[in-house]
């Protein structure tokens, strides 16, 4: 893609100095970046990015732009949320075009709302650029429709841990009985207690579960299992985060809809 062709696309905004664009980079495959996100990468002076943003996406950045990593690396603790927010505000205050880039969609379990509130509070002009959330893009790559007319009239996105790192205090009985398809983010750590709660409330042990690790990336791995077996199966397969867990009958459609995003090695 030449920038000339890119510039010819209608209505892509100019990144003004002193602005922050809070953008989602999608789940990993750079082909899932939006045109707005690429437009941001092509103009930003500095990109403050999280661990879930794939290196392939960052290669689209304007040559000469600065990158600041704001995630967890090498076992070191990640910078705190207030530190990141302060840094983003400081960079914008220097008159830079600041791209705050997050994995997936910034407003889906991504603290994008907190960061945007801080920008609003500091009077920094900002734009929000949505991204393909892992719970949608990752399921597509796994051949699992997020909704399917004969299976589920709703889909529920759930985080597997709350702000304190615990299982969120949700009504798990209601979720077990009333949410036909659950897409669990950040749930590997507490999978045992989540699966136990869903089964205690009536979801059968042979209920289908898929675990999608590194969705949309070349190292994507998908495990099909059941609610009763999923904890042992994840451990046996050595599946690594980031991973999504899909609970529901929709997982069975994979038998016909699973497709290969990459040529066999
Ligand atoms: N804002 C992100 C979610 C951040 S929370 C989004 O919209 O996708 C982090 C969790 O997202 C991970 O623990 C994992 O459950 C999920 N996730 C993000 N990217 C993923 C990927 N490529 N493959 C599997 N899960 C992913």
């Amino acid at each position: 893609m030449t920038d000339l062709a890119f510039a010819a696309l209608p209505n892509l905004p100019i990144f003004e100095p002193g602005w922050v664009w809070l953008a989602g980079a999608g789940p990993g495959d750079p082909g899932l970046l939006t045109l707005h996100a690429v437009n941001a990468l092509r103009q930003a002076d500095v990109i403050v990015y999280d661990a879930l943003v794939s290196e392939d996406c960052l290669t689209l950045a304007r040559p000469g732009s600065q990158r600041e990593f704001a995630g967890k690396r090498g076992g070191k603790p990640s910078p705190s949320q207030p530190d990141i927010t302060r840094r983003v505000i400081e960079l914008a205050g220097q008159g830079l075009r600041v791209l705050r880039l997050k994995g997936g969609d910034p407003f889906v379990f991504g603290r994008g709302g907190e960061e945007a509130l801080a920008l609003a509070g500091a009077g920094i002009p900002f734009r929000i650029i949505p991204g393909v959330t892992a719970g949608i893009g990752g399921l597509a790559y796994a051949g699992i429709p997020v909704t399917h007319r004969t299976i589920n009239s709703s889909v529920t996105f759930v985080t597997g841990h709350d702000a304190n790192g615990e299982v969120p205090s949700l009504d798990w009985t209601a979720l077990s009985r009333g949410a036909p398809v659950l897409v669990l983010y950040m749930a590997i750590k507490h999978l045992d207690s989540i699966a136990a709660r869903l089964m205690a409330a009536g979801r059968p042990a042979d209920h289908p579960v898929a675990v999608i690790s590194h969705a949309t990336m070349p190292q994507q791995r998908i495990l099909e299992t059941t609610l009763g077996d999923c904890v042992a199966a994840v451990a046996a397969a050595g599946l690594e985060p980031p991973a999504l867990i899909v609970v529901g009958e929709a997982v069975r459609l994979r038998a016909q809809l699973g497709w290969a995003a990459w040529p066999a090695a």
Side-chain angles (χ1 to χ4, degrees):
M1 173 181 43
T2 66
D3 278 332
L4 194 64
F6 196 67
L9 287 165
N11 295 328
L12 286 175
I14 304 287
F15 206 154
E16 301 290 351
W19 277 63
V20 175
W21 285 6
L22 178 58
D29 182 346
L32 297 176
L33 285 164
T34 63
L35 290 175
H36 273 294
V38 178
N39 182 46
L41 281 160
R42 301 302 303 178
Q43 297 183 69
D45 297 313
V46 53
I47 302 163
V48 181
Y49 65 100
D50 282 349
L52 282 171
V53 174
S54 78
E55 194 54 39
D56 286 347
C57 291
L58 292 170
T59 59
L60 291 163
R62 178 174 67 74
S65 59
Q66 199 183 312
R67 289 183 197 177
E68 289 197 14
F69 179 67
K72 201 178 277 188
R73 184 170 277 167
K76 291 189 194 137
S78 46
S80 71
Q81 194 58 53
D83 285 349
I84 297 169
T85 307
R86 245 194 313 275
R87 180 67 182 146
V88 167
I89 290 171
E90 179 184 47
L91 291 165
Q94 292 168 9
L96 297 171
R97 300 167 182 86
V98 186
L99 172 57
R100 175 71 178 112
L101 195 59
K102 292 171 159 289
D105 181 278
F107 281 177
V108 178
F109 304 132
R111 303 191 189 175
E114 292 165 48
E115 294 192 21
L117 281 171
L119 295 172
I124 304 282
F126 62 88
R127 165 181 286 269
I128 312 283
I129 300 177
V132 175
T133 189
I136 292 180
L139 268 66
Y141 273 53
I144 304 171
V146 172
T147 68
H148 192 73
R149 208 147 55 113
T150 52
I151 294 180
N152 58 320
S153 304
S154 72
V155 59
T156 309
F157 293 154
V158 183
T159 173
H161 71 120
D162 65 15
N164 303 316
E166 306 298 330
V167 178
S169 60
L170 295 166
D171 185 341
W172 289 95
T173 302
L175 286 173
S176 177
R177 296 186 184 156
V181 173
L182 293 156
V183 180
L184 306 169
Y185 290 64
M186 297 177 275
I188 294 276
K189 186 166 164 224
H190 295 311
L191 185 55
D192 49 353
S193 70
I194 292 172
R197 286 171 205 217
L198 294 173
M199 286 188 287
R203 226 49 173 230
D206 64 357
H207 196 57
V209 168
V211 184
I212 313 167
S213 152
H214 290 94
T216 83
M217 302 181 196
Q219 63 274 43
Q220 171 175 291
R221 284 179 68 195
I222 303 164
L223 174 74
E224 277 184 62
T225 174
T226 61
L227 213 43
D229 289 340
C230 60
V231 175
V234 166
L239 284 190
E240 300 267 325
L244 292 157
I245 296 164
V246 190
V247 180
E249 292 295 333
V251 167
R252 294 196 203 277
L253 291 169
R254 240 183 82 65
Q256 294 150 82
L257 301 183
W259 58 282
W262 301 273

